[in-house]
Amino acid sequence: MKGDIDEDLVRAFKAGNEHAFDELYAKYRISIYSICYRFVRNEADAQELTQDVFRKIFKNLVKFHEKSKFFTWAYRITVNTCLSFKRKYQPPIIEYDPANLDQSLEKRVMMKIAVDKALGKLPDRQRMCFILHHYEGYTFNEIGNIMRITTGAVKAHHHLAIKKLRCLLKGWL
Amino acid sequence: MKNCKWAQRRLIDYIEKTMDEKTTLQCEEHLKACPICKKEYDRILLLYGILDKQKVPFPDPVFWDTVKEHVYHQPVVLKPGSWIRKVVPIAVPVCAIAVILFILLHRPNETVEITVPVSELLEDRDIAAIALNNIISDELIQEFTLIEESLPFDIDEFVGEMTVEEQQLFINLLEEIYNVGT
């Protein structure tokens, strides 16, 4: 089980085996980066956040008490780091010559811009609940454990996010 | 059959498959019969499709090595909540107060030096006693006093009738005998 392997790696790390952290890092780096990117929607901030998250995980892993699963704890750090992040980077204004793009590519670019904008307009917690459920596939219960809120609150955040996105992207539907 | 308000409230749960079997069947029945709610259902599915198309551009492999490097070699930074930052604002004033109190309580005794010629000291027994206190012993002062009192004449008058040179000679003699200095 995912949890059992992680527990073994955590114990090995606490016993002094730093390579155990390398394995955890390799296992979770993509999903943590993905959460960070979807939350901030630009690569520079996502990279900074990812580095920050792993720095915190490495520093605090010896204190991890294994009452919850490792991934719950690691994603909790990810969520909290994202929620407390103050944006420094402004995404560049995408300039392109429509004459050089075919229609389908132009449409995809415009759609991406519209989706990024719409996600950016969601409140932070709504956006995070939506990302964890829709993109990362976690259940409302698991998200509740990660974010330390009730399952009902997670569901409410998620549903409100869908409704808001539905309104903001109605031109594309 | 349930109404549109009931059905539209449950569309997301229906798509997410988080409802019980009975409610799911009721939803399906309504969607089959209601084109408005069916259209709304299709729009939400389309929204999901648009959102799913947004892929994450992952960084170069160099980035992952850089992160690992930074993680393993992170500097120690005093954070606002560290114990040192909590202790220092209290420790500094306490130490300052302790130093001030130490200075006040351990001030050296002030000593006042009085330079008085021995001839003047000898004229006034009390002053002589104070000045000579640390130079000659109380026994010697007492002895000198006894000698003075045993003399048949008043030593003060005797010294007063001396010339300045005789007085100085007398003083020098006393100094020599008693090792007394001014």
Side-chain angles (χ1 to χ4, degrees):
Chain A
M1 270 174 65
K2 178 164 81 169
D4 295 337
I5 298 167
D6 291 348
E7 277 165 20
D8 293 340
L9 288 170
V10 169
R11 278 194 211 110
F13 178 80
K14 284 181 180 179
N17 179 4
E18 279 195 350
H19 292 300
F21 178 82
D22 289 350
E23 289 195 41
L24 290 167
Y25 173 71
K27 189 175 173 185
Y28 287 101
R29 65 187 188 187
I30 298 292
S31 57
I32 286 176
Y33 179 85
S34 175
I35 293 168
C36 295
Y37 178 83
R38 292 197 190 279
F39 187 79
V40 292
R41 299 167 323 285
N42 74 80
E43 289 182 59
D45 287 346
Q47 289 179 15
E48 188 183 329
L49 276 170
T50 304
Q51 186 166 295
D52 212 12
V53 167
F54 278 105
R55 206 183 288 140
K56 288 176 185 174
I57 291 173
F58 181 80
K59 191 179 165 193
N60 295 294
L61 193 53
V62 285
K63 291 185 265 181
F64 172 57
H65 47 60
E66 297 170 56
K67 282 185 187 169
S68 57
K69 296 211 183 296
F70 171 79
F71 78 86
T72 304
W73 179 75
Y75 286 146
R76 188 175 298 140
I77 292 174
T78 308
V79 167
N80 290 337
T81 306
C82 288
L83 292 177
S84 60
F85 178 70
K86 296 271 183 273
R87 179 187 283 276
K88 296 170 205 169
Y89 174 78
Q90 289 299 326
I93 297 164
I94 300 170
E95 289 182 6
Y96 64 97
D97 182 1
N100 290 338
L101 291 176
D102 60 44
Q103 275 195 345
S104 64
L105 182 58
E106 187 187 346
K107 189 181 172 185
R108 284 209 307 272
V109 168
M110 296 300 291
M111 190 190 291
K112 183 186 181 333
I113 294 169
V115 169
D116 280 350
K117 244 182 175 174
L119 283 168
K121 286 185 177 172
L122 295 178
D124 286 351
R125 288 187 177 275
Q126 263 183 35
R127 186 162 70 244
M128 185 54 78
C129 286
F130 177 76
I131 289 167
L132 288 173
H133 182 70
H134 189 85
Y135 289 114
E136 300 301 317
Y138 289 104
T139 64
F140 293 143
N141 193 37
E142 285 170 333
I143 297 169
N145 285 333
I146 290 169
M147 293 181 69
R148 285 192 166 144
I149 55 177
T150 62
T151 308
V154 175
K155 195 174 170 184
H157 279 314
H158 178 265
H159 281 33
L160 285 169
I162 298 276
K163 284 182 180 168
K164 194 154 184 180
L165 290 169
R166 162 84 181 79
C167 269
L168 292 167
L169 295 170
K170 64 181 175 199
W172 294 90
L173 303 173
Chain B
M1 198 175 73
K2 300 291 183 182
N3 61 26
C4 291
K5 194 175 173 181
W6 180 94
Q8 290 195 9
R9 263 187 187 168
R10 284 154 180 81
L11 277 179
I12 297 172
D13 290 322
Y14 177 71
I15 293 168
E16 298 281 337
K17 296 180 173 56
T18 54
M19 292 193 297
D20 58 68
E21 203 180 323
K22 181 183 172 189
T23 316
T24 304
L25 286 170
Q26 284 172 330
C27 248
E28 278 176 358
E29 196 184 306
H30 183 87
L31 288 173
K32 279 177 192 168
C34 177
I36 298 167
C37 291
K38 178 71 170 60
K39 198 173 179 185
E40 183 58 23
Y41 167 75
D42 290 337
R43 281 205 183 106
I44 295 176
L45 282 183
L46 194 55
L47 173 66
Y48 274 47
I50 289 170
L51 293 169
D52 289 343
K53 277 183 189 163
Q54 309 309 312
K55 302 296 177 199
V56 174
F58 288 102
D60 293 335
V62 173
F63 166 74
W64 302 115
D65 294 332
T66 308
V67 168
K68 214 160 79 166
E69 187 66 29
H70 282 176
V71 162
Y72 279 122
H73 297 105
Q74 53 186 307
V76 175
V77 174
L78 283 179
K79 288 193 177 173
S82 79
W83 67 271
I84 293 174
R85 285 190 183 225
K86 286 176 186 166
V87 166
V88 164
I90 300 164
V92 167
V94 167
C95 287
I97 290 167
V99 166
I100 291 166
L101 282 173
F102 179 80
I103 291 168
L104 288 172
L105 292 172
H106 289 83
R107 272 186 305 179
N109 292 329
E110 287 181 10
T111 54
V112 178
E113 286 188 3
I114 303 171
T115 303
V116 181
V118 170
S119 57
E120 287 185 19
L121 286 176
L122 293 173
E123 283 179 9
D124 191 314
R125 201 166 292 164
D126 293 330
I127 293 175
I130 294 167
L132 295 171
N133 199 25
N134 289 328
I135 301 171
I136 59 174
S137 63
D138 288 339
E139 289 82 8
L140 200 56
I141 291 174
Q142 209 170 4
E143 191 179 324
F144 189 75
T145 307
L146 284 169
I147 293 167
E148 188 188 4
E149 284 172 356
S150 67
L151 290 171
F153 52 86
D154 188 342
I155 188 76
D156 291 334
E157 277 181 25
F158 179 69
V159 171
E161 283 169 10
M162 288 181 184
T163 62
V164 172
E165 290 79 15
E166 284 169 343
Q167 282 181 6
Q168 191 57 50
L169 193 62
F170 180 62
I171 290 161
N172 292 343
L173 199 61
L174 283 174
E175 281 181 353
E176 201 179 305
I177 293 167
Y178 295 106
N179 294 319
V180 174
T182 55

